[in-house]
Every structure is written in C-alpha cells, then in structure tokens.
Amino acid sequence: MRIGFIGLGNMGGPMSLNLLAAGHTVTVHDVREEAAAEHVARGARWAASPAELAEHSDTVITMLPTPRHVERVMLGEGGLLAAMAEGSTWIDMSTSVPAVADRVRALADERGIRVLDAPVSGMAHGARAGTLQIFVGADPEDAARQRPVLEAMGDPERILHVGPHGTGYAVKLMINMLWFCHLVATSEVLAVGARAGVDLEVLHRSLVASPANSNFLQNDALSVLNNGDYDESFAMALACKDLGLAIDLAREVGVPVELSAVVEQIYRRGKAVFGDLAGEMIPMKLYEDVAGIELRLPAREASGTPGQVRP
Ligand code: NAD
C-alpha cells in the first residue's frame, strides 16, 4: 500500500521505519527534513509539503505534537486534506482531540475520504519494537481495512477498535490521565514513608505486597527507583498537553475531575521547574527535593524492566 507519514519525531520516526520494513511504499514529510535521512536511505520518498505527500499516498498518517499542529497540517494553507485524493484515508495517531478530526471529517466525507483516530501507548521503545498499543476510533469497516497498516506498527493483540470516531482519542487521554495520577500519588506515598523512617526498599516491597499495589508502583516507577531515569523520550511539554486535553474533555462532557486538576498543576510545576524537555516522570523529583531524599532502591534490588514504561 502507498502510505504517507507526517511527523517523524520520537514516535513517528520509528513507526514509519516499521511501515517501510513491512514492505509498504512510504512517503514521508516533517518540518525538519533531516528527520527523514534514515527513511530516505531505506527507500522512502521525501515530500517537501503535505500536498506533495498526498499525491503519492492512498493512506496518510499524522503523528504530530498537539491538536494545533494537526489542524495546521490538515486544514492550514497548502494543507493535506485539500490535496488528498477521493476515496483515500487519513489516520491520526497523535494524542489529540475529537474536535479537530470532526472539522476535518465534515469536509472529508463529501469527497469519500475516510477518517480514523488511532492514538498509541507504548512510548518510543514500543514504537521502535513495533509493539505499540493502538486505540482505533472509526467505522468498523475502515478499522478492519486499515488493520494491516496498523499491525506494522503495533502488537496485533493490542490493536483495539474502541468505538466510533473520537473514542480512540478519549481512551488514550484517559490512560494518560490515570497514569499521571498514579505517578503523583506514588511519589507522595514514597516520600512520606521514607521521611517517616521506613527503609525505601522495605516500603516498596510492603506496598507491592498490599492491596494498594499498582502496575505503576511495581513496574513503571522502577525506571526512577532503580536508575534515576525520568524518561526523556516523552517530554513534559507533551505530558502537560495531554493532561490539559484530558481535563478539557472532562469539562466538555460535564464531569468534575478535582483530582486530575491538581495533578495537572503538579505537572505544570514540574515543567516550570525542570523545563519542557524534562522526562514525563520528573514530577517524582519535586517530591524527592521537598523531602530532601533521593528515591532510589539499592542496586541489589534492581529488577523489572526500567525504561519500558508507557505512554
Ligand atoms: P516529537 O516532538 O518527538 O515529534 C513530533 C514531530 O512532528 C517532530 O519531528 C516535528 O518536527 C514534527 N512536526 C511538528 N510540526 C509539524 C508540521 N507542521 N508539519 C510536519 N511536521 C511537523 O513528538 P513525539 O514524542 O513523537 O509525539 C508525537 C505524538 O505522539 C504526540 O501527540 C504525543 O503526545 C504522542 N505520544 C508520544 C509518546 C512518547 O512516548 N513520546 C507516546 C505516546 C503518544
């Protein structure tokens, strides 16, 4: 299949390489031409604009930072949608919101252009390994038709058709909202327990063995606890963007989210203190700093697979 891919960053770079490896004919575009060097070396075609990319594509995938970027690429001057052929398909794999895709779909439908939202979990490691979780919001026939394309980038067992248009975005935002809440709650508990004099290793083991255990505590937190790795492959700027979008969605559907609103503020503080490019787990360090301790397990306790966290 002829696939166009726009947005060759931490995620889109390796995802589009996996499409090439699966034998698809791939055309790529990014505002940073240098991001495409490896793709071109492996046989991809470079397109200087979204419109040029559309000429060579039956299916176009976007993997862009924010809804604003998606809107600009799709509907802005010289945008993708106007150049897409009748009957072609757009899959947005960015963590975005239904509103932008709805605006695109309103214009796309009359030209027979199919639209899917298919955001992902599994971070840059999963993007490289081709094991992403993918949450597809679309008509069932479109989801089925595009499955071979998605399987080149994700784990077939974890490519889920989650409902109609927009539901893929919603599932992805709820995953991130819950995970960031886990991170903040876990940081508080570990900092307080350690300051209260409990050995961190004993505290961690006790919590894991208790009804309060979580996947975050048992696995994902080890990235920091074992290695001091706050996961720079997912930047705080994007983490804060996701929390903001999740809270906007909650407002739109009329559900108060007091807890997530506080977590968003803590994340924004982390971004203000440590910068846009700091890793998504850096809010743990806010608690380390305020408690005056480094939350680290002794080396002999190292276990699990640090670095293989989400999103
Ligand atoms: P990134 O910032 O590394 O990459 C974004 C890419 O888009 C960059 O190469 C940038 O140059 C390009 N770009 C920006 N504006 C453009 C435009 N107008 N035209 C063409 N290209 C443009 O971001 P990322 O980490 O790859 O994340 C991409 C999306 O995936 C985001 O929505 C993010 O929330 C989501 N996501 C990221 C992760 C992760 O672990 N990094 C995991 C799951 C989902």
Side-chain angles (χ1 to χ4, degrees):
M1 192 183 290
R2 298 186 316 153
I3 301 173
F5 203 108
I6 301 183
L8 307 174
N10 285 325
M11 298 298 288
M15 287 162 71
S16 45
L17 285 173
N18 282 333
L19 287 167
L20 270 171
H24 296 289
T25 302
V26 179
T27 303
V28 292
H29 172 72
D30 194 288
V31 281
R32 301 174 302 121
E33 185 169 352
E34 68 277 14
E38 187 175 351
H39 301 74
V40 171
R42 295 200 194 180
R45 173 196 291 267
W46 166 254
S49 68
E52 185 186 327
L53 176 133
E55 277 172 36
H56 300 282
S57 311
D58 305 310
T59 292
V60 177
I61 297 173
T62 44
M63 191 54 168
L64 294 161
T66 71
R68 198 167 39 85
H69 293 89
V70 175
E71 181 148 30
R72 192 179 313 141
V73 165
M74 293 306 294
L75 301 174
E77 211 185 309
L80 185 65
L81 182 64
M84 286 176 71
E86 277 191 22
S88 58
T89 298
W90 171 49
I91 309 178
D92 185 24
M93 302 190 77
S94 323
T95 305
S96 185
V97 286
V100 173
D102 286 350
R103 277 198 285 285
V104 171
R105 214 168 68 252
L107 299 166
D109 272 353
E110 63 202 33
R111 292 170 46 215
I113 294 171
R114 313 305 302 166
V115 172
L116 295 82
D117 46 292
V120 308
S121 250
M123 69 180 281
H125 167 85
R128 284 192 294 275
T131 56
L132 292 170
Q133 265 182 291
I134 305 178
F135 310 100
V136 187
D139 292 342
E141 309 77 51
D142 291 332
R145 199 172 307 118
Q146 295 300 327
R147 207 177 155 85
V149 173
L150 300 178
E151 283 188 358
M153 299 175 279
D155 173 353
E157 299 290 315
R158 300 196 299 165
I159 299 173
L160 303 177
H161 179 227
V162 295
H165 296 286
T167 54
Y169 293 131
V171 169
K172 170 62 185 169
L173 290 176
M174 292 307 98
I175 290 171
N176 281 19
M177 188 161 127
L178 183 57
W179 194 87
F180 296 133
C181 288
H182 274 291
L183 181 139
V184 169
T186 302
S187 305
E188 285 188 1
V189 163
L190 294 180
V192 172
R195 272 301 289 257
V198 188
D199 176 83
L200 184 64
E201 178 199 331
V202 173
L203 176 62
H204 186 257
R205 199 163 358 107
S206 306
L207 289 166
V208 166
S210 82
N213 189 27
S214 66
N215 179 60
F216 182 86
L217 181 72
Q218 188 166 356
N219 298 307
D220 297 351
L222 296 179
S223 172
V224 172
L225 301 183
N226 283 340
N227 296 344
D229 176 356
Y230 297 92
D231 185 19
E232 287 179 9
S233 73
F234 189 62
M236 279 296 280
L238 292 180
C240 288
K241 177 261 308 188
D242 288 357
L243 274 164
L245 294 178
I247 287 166
D248 287 348
L249 183 62
R251 191 178 296 113
E252 233 169 77
V253 299
V255 177
V257 288
E258 295 90 344
L259 179 62
S260 301
V262 172
V263 169
E264 188 210 10
Q265 292 300 315
I266 294 166
Y267 259 77
R268 285 178 55 192
R269 177 174 294 276
K271 181 164 97 73
V273 172
F274 299 108
D276 282 5
L277 297 179
E280 60 172 333
M281 297 177 79
I282 204 75
M284 286 184 84
K285 189 159 163 43
L286 290 175
Y287 291 87
E288 296 180 52
D289 290 351
V290 86
I293 44 176
E294 217 176 38
L295 293 171
R296 299 287 180 274
L297 294 170
R300 65 192 152 77
E301 276 301 298
S303 60
T305 49
Q308 294 187 14
V309 296
R310 47 108 286 128

